[in-house]
């Protein structure tokens, strides 16, 4: 009935076993020469079956972790919606969906990894169980030891089934489990080799391997759950439903592993251990990355707020909800440096005469346009031109020309507010300054002629 699950699982396991059998044989360790080497190849195949499944589920798993984290952050808003629409379930559901959509939360994607891993676990359990078809219990087909060793198992041929049954991991067969009937041990030996007195030693080997693996799996499940729960906010942890789920993850699931461990094959416990190790590493690195992203976003927001902080006595701009509007200005530092340069130019212009002031106005406008790539730079350039022109003092015509040009250009810059307007302003200032210089030169020549 579930062959669409069993065949893919058995094929992945078969492919990895072929790969590791070839690899061990290539380094001079043929798997057929020793049950322990064969067990190593099969154990590695099970481990990399786990890795394959987890790699396939990596993107959904990342989405699940991010969704869980986001839902924890949204708990105050969720509680507010629940309180506001306590008597209107339909409206509450609509508002919840709207909140999730606005914040990019997809609950279906968050549940996908768990939904996929359940059939994988069931499929692997069944495939490992079907290597030994003896008995009439769960998974048993009533086969004899001879029939079991000479029958296939989904993608595995009879000789590969025999390889799996003969393989040992620290002396225990990979499809052996604690509650397995002793008469099924005959399938773990070649025909005519098994003797009933061998059952005790094989049972002890199964106990010595499965009990430590069960304990490690239960403890690892607990600490993986604790790592995830520690990421929850106080509001999320206070939620009654979340509190129940947290307790189940921390205690119920590990206890369930210990309670049902008597039915778990050695191969299935290998899968569980690998899965827990992967989960721990994945959560560690992903949480570390998320913390780094959160810190960078916080620093960026603080820089934006500092750049947009209102001057003393000026009220900050707020939106319709009363929140301060923060607009990122990545060139705020460059603008400040440009303003300092312009103020230095202005001080220099005040010390010069009529012609020098007009020349300085043109240069300061060029410096303002080149230093700042936005409308603030253009406005600063216009202000510098005004100061420089005013410093001319005695040159009335130069002062009038430069002031009128600066005023006109400043109005144009504030209206346009773009890079093109900055270029036009700078050009207009240079032309105005040039006319002012020409006019000042004519005045000086006229005065010299009168003196003569």
């Amino acid at each position: 009935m579930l062959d669409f699950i069993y065949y893919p699982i058995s094929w992945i396991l078969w492919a990895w076993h072929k790969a590791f059998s070839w690899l061990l044989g290539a380094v001079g360790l043929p798997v057929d020469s020793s049950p322990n080497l064969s067990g190593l190849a099969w154990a590695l195949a099970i481990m990399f079956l786990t890795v394959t499944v987890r790699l396939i589920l990596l993107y959904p798993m990342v989405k699940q972790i991010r969704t869980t984290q986001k839902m924890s952050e949204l708990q105050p808003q969720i509680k507010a919606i629940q309180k506001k629409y306590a008597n209107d379930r339909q409206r509450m559901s609509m508002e919840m969906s709207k909140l999730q959509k606005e914040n990019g939360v997809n609950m279906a994607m968050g549940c996908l990894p768990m939904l996929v891993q359940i059939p994988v676990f069931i499929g692997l359990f069944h495939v490992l169980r079907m290597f030994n078809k003896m008995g009439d219990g769960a998974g048993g087909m009533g086969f004899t030891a001879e029939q079991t060793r000479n029958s296939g198992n989904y993608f595995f041929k009879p000789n590969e089934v025999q390889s799996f049954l003969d393989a040992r991991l620290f002396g225990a067969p990979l499809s052996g489990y604690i509650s397995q009937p002793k008469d099924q041990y005959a399938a773990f030996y070649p025909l005519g080799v098994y003797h009933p007195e061998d059952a005790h030693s094989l049972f002890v080997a199964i106990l010595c391997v499965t009990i430590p693996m069960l304990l490690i799996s239960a403890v690892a499940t607990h600490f993986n759950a604790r790592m995830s729960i520690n990421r929850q906010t106080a509001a999320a942890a206070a939620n009654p439903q979340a509190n129940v789920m947290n307790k189940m993850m921390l205690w119920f699931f590990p206890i369930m592993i210990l309670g049902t461990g008597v039915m778990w094959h050695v191969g299935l416990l290998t899968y569980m251990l690998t899965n827990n190790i992967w989960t721990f590493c994945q959560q560690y690195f992903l949480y570390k990355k998320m913390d780094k992203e959160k810190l960078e976003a916080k620093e960026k927001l603080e820089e934006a707020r500092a750049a947009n902080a209102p001057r003393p006595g000026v009220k900050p701009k707020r939106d319709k909800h009363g929140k301060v509007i923060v607009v990122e200005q990545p060139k705020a530092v460059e603008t400040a440096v440009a303003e300092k340069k312009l103020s230095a130019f202005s001080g220099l212009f005040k010390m010069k005469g009529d012609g020098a002031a007009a020349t300085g106005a043109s240069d300061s406008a060029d410096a303002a346009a080149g230093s700042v790539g936005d409308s603030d730079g253009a406005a600063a350039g216009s202000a510098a031109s005004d100061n420089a022109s005013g410093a001319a003092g005695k040159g009335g015509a130069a002062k009038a020309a430069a002031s009128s040009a600066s005023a006109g250009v400043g109005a144009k810059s504030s209206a346009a507010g773009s890079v093109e307007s900055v270029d036009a302003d700078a050009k207009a200032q240079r032309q105005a300054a040039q006319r002012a210089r020409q006019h000042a030169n004519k005045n000086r020549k006229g005065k010299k002629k009168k003196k003569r």
Side-chain angles (χ1 to χ4, degrees):
M1 184 174 65
L2 296 177
D3 286 352
F4 68 95
I5 295 176
Y6 303 148
Y7 272 99
I9 294 296
S10 64
W11 182 84
I12 296 173
L13 184 62
W14 173 85
W16 280 117
H17 177 255
K18 286 291 185 182
F20 284 109
S21 296
W22 175 85
L23 184 62
L24 290 173
V27 297
L29 299 172
V31 295
D32 296 333
S33 62
S34 169
N36 291 323
L37 286 176
S38 180
L40 176 62
W42 281 106
L44 288 172
I46 295 172
M47 292 171 66
F48 276 80
L49 163 67
T50 311
V51 172
T52 302
V53 173
R54 294 305 299 266
L55 283 174
I56 294 172
L57 296 175
L58 182 60
Y59 177 75
M61 185 65 71
V62 171
K63 293 291 290 184
Q64 179 194 24
I65 294 175
R66 290 188 180 275
T67 297
T68 304
Q69 188 71 19
K70 195 68 177 178
M71 289 299 293
S72 298
E73 296 172 358
L74 294 176
Q75 280 301 313
Q77 300 178 49
I78 292 174
K79 284 188 175 182
I81 292 174
Q82 291 174 344
K83 184 178 180 181
K84 185 176 181 180
Y85 302 105
N87 299 324
D88 190 348
R89 293 286 180 180
Q90 185 176 0
R91 183 64 184 277
M92 183 191 298
S93 178
M94 292 174 60
E95 292 296 327
M96 288 287 193
S97 300
K98 182 180 178 181
L99 179 65
Q100 293 173 8
K101 186 176 181 180
E102 289 176 351
N103 290 274
V105 176
N106 189 343
M107 297 303 295
M109 183 65 73
C111 299
L112 181 62
M114 183 179 295
L115 295 176
V116 173
Q117 286 189 77
I118 291 174
V120 171
F121 181 85
I122 294 173
L124 184 60
F125 180 89
H126 178 78
V127 170
L128 294 178
R129 177 66 183 87
M130 291 303 291
F131 276 106
N132 189 344
K133 300 181 178 68
M134 294 182 67
D136 298 323
M141 299 182 67
F143 282 22
T144 63
E146 183 178 0
Q147 290 174 327
T148 295
R149 294 181 66 86
N150 292 320
S151 62
N153 182 21
Y154 296 101
F155 259 93
F156 297 101
K157 297 177 181 179
N159 63 318
E160 293 165 337
V161 171
Q162 293 173 18
S163 173
F164 185 87
L165 292 172
D166 294 340
R168 298 290 186 269
L169 185 65
F170 303 110
L174 290 170
S175 59
Y177 53 98
I178 295 176
S179 61
Q180 188 173 27
K182 303 296 187 296
D183 59 345
Q184 295 183 13
Y185 289 177
F188 300 137
Y189 293 88
L191 296 177
V193 176
Y194 174 73
H195 299 285
E197 54 268 21
D198 296 332
H200 179 72
S201 60
L202 194 61
F203 177 71
V204 172
I206 292 173
L207 281 177
C208 291
V209 173
T210 54
I211 289 178
M213 295 177 79
L214 279 170
L215 291 174
I216 295 172
S217 296
V219 172
T221 301
H222 172 84
F223 280 103
N224 283 337
R226 184 170 293 279
M227 182 187 293
S228 178
I229 291 170
N230 288 340
R231 302 284 302 184
Q232 295 179 355
T233 61
N239 187 296
Q241 295 178 349
N243 192 25
V244 172
M245 181 57 68
N246 291 343
K247 289 181 179 179
M248 290 181 64
M249 291 170 61
L250 284 172
W251 305 109
F252 177 74
F253 292 156
I255 292 174
M256 186 176 67
I257 291 174
L258 294 175
T260 60
V262 295
M263 299 183 297
W264 289 24
H265 312 90
V266 174
L268 194 63
L269 288 170
T270 305
Y271 166 84
M272 284 294 299
L273 279 176
T274 308
N275 193 55
N276 276 304
I277 293 171
W278 179 280
T279 301
F280 177 84
C281 296
Q282 178 178 272
Q283 289 187 155
Y284 175 80
F285 288 107
L286 183 59
Y287 287 154
K288 189 175 181 180
K289 181 181 179 182
M290 290 172 62
D291 289 340
K292 185 178 179 181
E293 291 175 354
K294 193 173 182 180
L295 181 61
E296 289 176 352
K298 184 178 179 181
E299 291 176 351
K300 189 176 181 181
L301 182 61
E302 290 177 353
E303 290 176 0
R305 284 177 176 172
N308 290 275
R311 296 178 181 178
V314 179
K315 292 184 178 180
K317 294 182 179 180
R318 299 180 181 273
D319 58 14
K320 62 181 181 180
H321 301 292
K323 295 182 179 180
V324 177
I325 299 175
V326 178
V327 181
E328 295 185 7
Q329 292 184 355
K331 294 187 178 180
V333 177
E334 297 178 10
T335 304
V337 173
E339 289 177 353
K340 289 182 179 179
K341 290 182 179 179
L342 292 172
S343 62
F345 276 120
S346 299
L348 180 62
F349 296 150
K350 291 179 181 179
M351 299 174 63
K352 295 186 177 182
D354 298 342
T359 304
S362 176
D363 295 339
S364 65
D366 293 341
S371 301
V372 185
D374 53 13
S375 59
D376 292 340
S382 299
S385 179
D386 290 341
N387 293 334
S389 300
K394 297 179 181 180
K399 176 180 178 181
S403 300
S404 61
S406 300
V409 173
K412 182 179 179 182
S413 174
S414 60
S418 62
V419 176
E420 290 79 1
S421 65
V422 172
D423 295 337
D425 293 345
K427 184 177 180 180
Q429 289 176 4
R430 287 195 296 270
Q431 292 175 352
Q434 186 176 2
R435 289 195 297 269
R437 286 197 300 270
Q438 292 174 355
H439 192 75
N441 290 334
K442 288 181 180 180
N443 288 340
R444 283 197 297 272
K445 289 179 180 179
K447 289 179 181 180
K448 288 180 180 179
K449 287 180 180 181
K450 288 180 180 180
K451 288 180 180 180
R452 291 177 183 175

